[in-house]
Amino acid sequence: MSALTRLRDPRTDEAATPAAPSRRRRGPVRLSRRDIAVVTAMVAIPLVVDLVFIWGPALATIVLSFTDATGAAPIHWVGTKNYHTLAEVDPSFWPAVRHNAIWLGVFILIATPLGMLFAVLLDRGLQGSRIYQSVIFLPVMLSLALIGIIWQVIYTTNGGLLNTLLGHGDGGGVDFLGDPSINLWAVLVEATWRQAGYVMILYLSGLKAVDLALKESAALDGANGWQTFRYVVFPVLRPVNVVILVVTVIESLRAFDLVYITNQGGIGLQLISAMITQQITGPGNRIGYGSALGVVLLLISLVPIVAFLVQQFRKEDES
């Protein structure tokens, strides 16, 4: 008997279709006590760690900023006295705010575009791109303290590399780190050298994830390289842009190592982060005053991040 005959129903003379397997409806999944314990631990442990090491110290800093805590004497509530002293009395506060704003501006306007440029060039598959990528990323692998030491050798007044190249190897060179009018810009060169490599890696990972079909479609429509990047690739990198903005703001406001190695945040290099360290660990142990500086630093860091995120969310809602 042929296979066709076996599949036919003798009563209807039609091909019999195999019966579909019966499907059982699954009820709600019941977790065992062990499963519940594991899930609870997976949620509770990170939450407790976050509260203890992040939110706890942050809230404690806000509370201490309204006190005269010094670490030894009894703590007294002083209200907004610390903030008034910051704004009206401390001569280093406003220069520190200005320097932090300059630091942030240099990172956004110079270091970030420079890192993006490196990423775009390397993404095109240049010959030896692996070597270039390693060389540019190398400063990120070094600690900021080591970077400060390296650039001290470069900036040294007598016998430093830069002064030697400028023809001042025998003495009388430019005091790049001691002159208050230029030492901030000298340290910003060090910071940009490192930050550009960090931004390059972030953008390079984002560019690798861009669909090649988008670039090909733009090329077929007659778009050149700049137009393709501006109108096709860059909008796709929106999540990367958010990450880079957050990282840039954090890195610019927490800058400490380079200025402390240079002159411990002295004249020309006042930064809020250096002031916090000086107040808390200095002779007076002014923990309350240092906490007020920390709160100001937190608020300054939140302003650009929140503004950018609100703008991005509005764009998503409009689209």
Side-chain angles (χ1 to χ4, degrees):
M1 183 182 295
S2 64
L4 181 60
T5 305
R6 287 196 302 268
L7 290 175
R8 289 187 177 278
D9 191 331
R11 292 171 294 178
T12 60
D13 198 29
E14 294 179 356
T17 56
S22 59
R23 296 181 179 178
R24 295 181 179 178
R25 293 185 178 180
R26 294 185 177 182
V29 178
R30 295 182 179 179
L31 298 177
S32 64
R33 292 183 178 179
R34 181 178 179 182
D35 294 334
I36 296 175
V38 171
V39 173
T40 303
M42 292 176 64
V43 175
I45 293 176
L47 180 61
V48 171
V49 171
D50 190 54
L51 291 174
V52 171
F53 292 101
I54 297 179
W55 290 104
L59 294 176
T61 299
I62 295 174
V63 173
L64 288 173
S65 68
F66 295 100
T67 68
D68 62 352
T70 59
I75 299 176
H76 301 95
W77 188 266
V78 296
T80 59
K81 179 181 178 181
N82 290 326
Y83 295 97
H84 178 268
T85 303
L86 283 177
E88 303 293 341
V89 180
D90 196 336
S92 300
F93 175 68
W94 289 113
V97 173
R98 183 172 66 253
H99 294 164
N100 270 115
I102 293 173
W103 203 290
L104 177 60
V106 169
F107 269 20
I108 292 178
L109 299 177
I110 297 179
T112 299
L114 188 61
M116 183 190 300
L117 176 62
F118 290 152
V120 172
L121 293 176
L122 293 175
D123 185 58
R124 294 186 176 183
L126 298 176
Q127 186 176 4
S129 59
R130 293 289 184 181
I131 298 176
Y132 299 141
Q133 179 176 332
S134 301
V135 171
I136 298 173
F137 187 70
L138 179 61
V140 184
M141 305 296 293
L142 304 176
S143 66
L144 287 170
L146 181 57
I147 290 175
I149 295 173
I150 292 173
W151 281 88
Q152 274 190 335
V153 175
I154 297 174
Y155 285 141
T156 299
T157 305
N158 297 322
L161 176 61
L162 188 54
N163 274 305
T164 300
L165 294 176
L166 293 175
H168 302 296
D170 298 332
V174 180
D175 190 1
F176 291 101
L177 300 179
D179 188 347
S181 62
I182 61 174
N183 57 3
L184 175 64
W185 304 104
V187 175
L188 280 171
V189 171
E190 309 174 29
T192 301
W193 180 57
R194 179 183 183 275
Q195 183 70 11
Y198 193 14
V199 173
M200 178 203 68
I201 289 298
L202 294 176
Y203 269 123
L204 196 57
S205 62
L207 289 171
K208 296 297 183 184
V210 176
D211 191 354
L212 293 177
L214 297 175
K215 299 180 181 180
E216 294 173 356
S217 299
L220 291 175
D221 291 338
N224 56 32
W226 164 248
Q227 291 172 334
T228 301
F229 179 79
R230 172 66 181 84
Y231 298 105
V232 177
V233 177
F234 190 73
V236 179
L237 297 176
R238 181 178 298 177
V240 181
N241 292 331
V242 174
V243 173
I244 289 176
L245 174 70
V246 174
V247 169
T248 299
V249 172
I250 292 174
E251 289 292 327
S252 62
L253 294 178
R254 77 179 184 90
F256 170 78
D257 308 63
L258 296 179
V259 298
Y260 201 78
I261 291 173
T262 302
N263 66 357
Q264 297 186 353
I267 298 176
L269 283 178
Q270 300 97 325
L271 291 178
I272 298 178
S273 58
M275 289 182 63
I276 294 173
T277 303
Q278 292 167 357
Q279 295 298 329
I280 294 179
T281 64
N285 293 120
R286 301 175 67 186
I287 298 176
Y289 191 71
S291 298
L293 286 166
V295 173
V296 172
L297 187 62
L298 174 63
L299 295 176
I300 294 175
S301 63
L302 289 177
V303 169
I305 294 175
V306 171
F308 182 81
L309 292 177
V310 169
Q311 182 181 8
Q312 295 299 314
F313 289 148
R314 286 179 179 175
K315 289 182 179 179
E316 291 181 358
D317 293 339
E318 291 175 357
S319 60

